[in-house]
C-alpha cells in the first residue's frame, strides 16, 4: 500500500518572550521551581494583534516555500487547534482565505495537545485511500488567550506557536508507517475551559467566575500521561515490528520535561535520542510536535531512512503516536 510522506515543514513562534523571571513578578512562583518541575525557561506570547490564523499563516508559508508549492496546489487544509480565531468558522477556513488556497477543503480538528497527531491520522488515511493528494496540516494554539494569569499552576506552562507540514503520497518506502489515536472522555474534566461553550455561554457570571480560563488537574494528568504515552508508543512500534532501540529520534509533545524523561526511560531511550525544546517555548499544545519536527529537520537531526516516533497527550483526554520512516 502507498504511504504518506511529509514533504516539508514550517514553524512560527511569536517574537514576544515571557521568561520565568517575568512570571515571578506576576504570580507567587520562582524561576527555579518552574525549571525544576517543568523544564520551561521561557515561552512565546502573541501580541494582541496576533490570532491563531496569523501564526498558522506564517508557518504554512514557510512549508509551502520549502516544498516549492503554491497554495492552489493544496487540496485540503486541516488545522488542529483549540484556540482558533473565532468559535466559528474554522481557523482552517480563515487560513484558506489568507493563503488563497482555492482548491482546499478546510476544517479544524479539536483534540487539544494531541491535535496534530489526530490530524496526521486523518490526513494519512485520506491520502492512502486516494481521496486527497496534497494536504496542509497545521498545529496551532494560543493558550495564552485562555490563561488565568493569577493561577500559578497553569500560567507557567503554556506558550503560543504554530507548526505546519505538507503531506503527499510517497514515491518510495519512506513515509508514515502507522498512527494510533485514543481517547478517554471519562477524564474530560482533567484539562478544560469551562465557559464560553453551549454549556455555559459567555455572561457576566461566566467572566466573574473566570470560567473562560483553562483549568487543569496537573498532578492527575501527569500520572495518566506517563502511563498512556508508554503504552501507545509500544503499541505503534509493535504493530510495525520495530523496537524502540531502532528509533533515531522520539519527538514527544512538549508538556513537561519530567513526562518526556519518564516516557523515554520507560521506552529505554537515551535522552540524546529525544527532541526537546520545551525550555524555549513551553507547552504550545497542538503546535509542539510540528515545531519540534521542524527544528529537528532544520538542525540535521533526521536523515533519510531514520525511524521517528511522534507522540502526544492532551485534554479529552486524548493521546496518540505516529511512526515515520524518513
Ligand atoms: N510555583 C510554585 N509553586 C507551585 C506552582 C508554581 N508555579 N504551581 C504549583 N505550585 C505548588 C502547589 O500549590 C503545591 O503546593 P502545596 O504542596 O503547598 O499544595 C506544590 O507546588 C505541588 O503542586 P503539584 O501540582 O503537586 O506540582 P507538580 O509537581 O505536579 O507540578 C505541574 C505541577 C502542573 C507542573 C505538573 O503537575 C504537570 O506538568 N502536570 C502535567 C500537566 C500537563 O502535562 N498538562 C498538559 C497536558 S497536554
Amino acid at each position: 500500500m502507498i504511504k504518506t510522506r511529509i514533504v516539508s515543514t514550517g514553524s512560527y513562534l511569536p517574537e514576544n518572550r515571557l521568561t520565568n523571571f517575568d512570571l515571578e513578578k506576576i504570580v507567587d512562583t520562582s524561576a527555579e521551581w518552574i525549571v525544576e518541575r517543568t523544564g520551561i525557561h521561557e515561552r512565546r506570547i502573541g501580541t494582541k494583534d496576533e490570532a491563531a490564523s496569523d501564526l498558522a499563516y506564517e508557518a504554512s508559508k514557510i512549508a509551502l516555500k520549502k516544498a516549492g508549492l503554491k497554495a492552489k496546489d493544496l487540496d485540503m487544509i486541516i488545522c488542529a487547534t483549540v484556540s482558533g480565531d473565532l468559535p466559528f468558522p474554522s481557523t482552517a477556513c480563515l487560513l484558506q482565505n489568507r493563503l488563497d488556497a482555492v482548491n482546499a477543503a478546510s476544517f479544524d480538528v479539536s483534540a487539544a495537545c494531541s491535535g496534530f497527531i489526530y490530524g496526521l491520522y486523518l490526513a494519512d488515511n485520506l491520502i492512502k485511500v486516494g481521496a486527497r493528494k496534497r494536504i496542509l496540516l497545521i498545529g496551532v494554539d494560543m493558550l495564552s488567550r485562555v490563561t488565568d494569569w493569577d493561577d500559578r499552576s497553569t500560567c507557567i506552562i503554556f506558550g503560543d506557536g504554530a507548526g505546519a507540514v505538507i503531506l503527499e503520497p510517497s514515491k518510495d518506502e519512506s513515509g508514515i508507517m502507522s498512527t494510533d489515536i485514543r481517547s478517554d472522555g471519562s477524564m474530560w474534566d482533567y484539562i478544560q475551559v469551562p465557559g464560553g461553550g453551549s454549556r455555559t455561554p459567555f455572561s457576566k457570571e461566566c467572566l466573574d467566575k473566570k470560567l473562560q480560563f483553562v483549568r487543569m488537574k496537573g498532578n492527575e494528568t501527569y500520572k495518566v500521561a506517563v502511563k498512556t504515552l508508554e503504552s501507545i508508543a509500544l503499541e505503534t512500534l509493535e504493530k510495525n515490528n520495530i523496537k524502540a532501540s531502532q528509533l533515531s529520534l522520539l519527538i514527544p509533545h512538549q508538556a513537561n520535561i519530567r513526562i518526556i524523561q519518564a516516557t523515554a526511560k520507560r521506552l529505554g531511550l537515551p535522552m540524546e535520542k529525544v527532541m526537546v525544546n520545551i525550555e524555549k517555548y513551553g507547552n504550545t499544545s497542538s503546535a509542539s510536535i510540528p515545531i519540534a519536527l521542524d527544528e529537528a529537520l532544520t538542525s540535521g537531526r533526521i536523515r533519510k531512512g531514520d525511524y521517528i516516533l511522534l507522540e502526544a497527550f492532551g485534554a479529552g483526554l486524548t493521546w496518540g503516536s505516529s511512526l515515520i520512516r524518513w
Side-chain angles (χ1 to χ4, degrees):
M1 195 200 258
I2 60 153
K3 286 203 187 93
T4 304
R5 78 182 179 107
I6 294 176
V7 185
S8 67
T9 59
S11 60
Y12 179 77
L13 280 307
E15 278 174 26
N16 180 29
R17 289 180 157 82
L18 182 71
T19 67
N20 291 350
F21 298 105
D22 296 327
L23 280 167
E24 280 182 347
K25 294 176 198 137
I26 302 173
V27 282
D28 178 17
T29 190
S30 72
E32 303 91 89
W33 192 96
I34 302 172
V35 172
E36 195 185 298
R37 298 296 181 105
T38 68
I40 302 167
H41 289 249
E42 58 181 42
R43 63 291 288 144
R44 304 294 182 90
I45 306 291
T47 64
K48 67 177 177 38
D49 299 323
E50 280 175 313
S53 69
D54 301 320
L55 275 51
Y57 176 69
E58 298 301 333
S60 302
K61 266 198 318 187
I62 297 168
L64 282 166
K65 191 169 177 209
K66 280 192 205 162
L69 294 169
K70 300 242 175 326
K72 69 170 173 35
D73 300 326
L74 302 168
D75 57 14
M76 179 166 276
I77 297 177
I78 303 176
C79 197
T81 187
V82 286
S83 49
D85 294 29
L86 309 165
F88 68 86
S90 68
T91 298
C93 281
L94 302 178
L95 178 64
Q96 176 192 12
N97 179 48
R98 189 87 188 272
L99 288 170
D100 200 24
V102 288
N103 299 310
S106 309
F107 61 95
D108 288 357
V109 166
S110 169
C113 300
S114 311
F116 182 79
I117 300 282
Y118 268 63
L120 202 61
Y121 176 86
L122 272 176
D124 177 27
N125 282 295
L126 288 169
I127 286 176
K128 278 203 293 223
V129 299
R132 296 284 149 172
K133 293 223 165 346
R134 194 171 289 127
I135 300 180
L136 170 65
L137 168 64
I138 305 106
V140 57
D141 267 310
M142 296 189 76
L143 292 188
S144 67
R145 297 297 204 256
V146 290
T147 292
D148 178 355
W149 295 102
D150 292 329
D151 176 5
R152 67 178 182 172
S153 68
T154 54
C155 75
I156 57 156
I157 289 174
F158 300 110
D160 302 338
V165 300
I166 293 175
L167 299 138
E168 279 180 8
S170 176
K171 295 186 184 78
D172 55 28
E173 279 307 295
S174 66
I176 298 169
M177 298 176 72
S178 67
T179 303
D180 293 290
I181 52 172
R182 295 273 186 285
S183 65
D184 185 344
S186 70
M187 292 176 276
W188 66 271
D189 60 345
Y190 278 30
I191 315 169
Q192 57 159 324
V193 174
S198 56
R199 177 74 57 198
T200 313
F202 283 126
S203 63
K204 186 173 176 312
E205 193 193 351
C206 171
L207 298 180
D208 287 346
K209 290 185 178 164
K210 293 185 160 191
L211 300 180
Q212 75 274 32
F213 295 133
V214 69
R215 292 195 182 165
M216 184 174 73
K217 297 182 181 176
N219 217 270
E220 291 87 332
T221 304
Y222 183 101
K223 288 176 196 148
V224 184
V226 174
K227 230 185 288 170
T228 50
L229 284 172
E230 179 197 12
S231 67
I232 198 138
L234 289 176
E235 184 183 327
T236 305
L237 289 170
E238 274 162 25
K239 208 178 269 180
N240 292 284
N241 225 359
I242 298 285
K243 293 192 181 63
S245 57
Q246 290 174 262
L247 292 174
S248 297
L249 196 63
L250 172 71
I251 305 187
H253 167 50
Q254 311 284 310
N256 183 314
I257 190 67
R258 292 183 296 139
I259 296 178
I260 296 173
Q261 286 163 342
T263 311
K265 194 170 171 202
R266 283 169 176 238
L267 295 176
L269 282 175
M271 285 306 286
E272 300 83 73
K273 284 191 171 187
V274 183
M275 181 66 201
V276 177
N277 62 7
I278 192 171
E279 69 284 357
K280 295 189 286 186
Y281 310 133
N283 178 346
T284 56
S285 186
S286 65
S288 90
I289 290 179
I291 292 171
L293 174 64
D294 185 46
E295 287 198 356
L297 283 164
T298 311
S299 60
R301 290 189 70 177
I302 301 177
R303 272 165 299 181
K304 180 103 181 130
D306 281 355
Y307 289 114
I308 312 293
L309 189 75
L310 317 179
E311 48 146 48
F313 178 89
L317 295 176
T318 54
W319 58 100
S321 70
S322 183
L323 181 64
I324 302 175
R325 174 107 195 254
W326 210 264

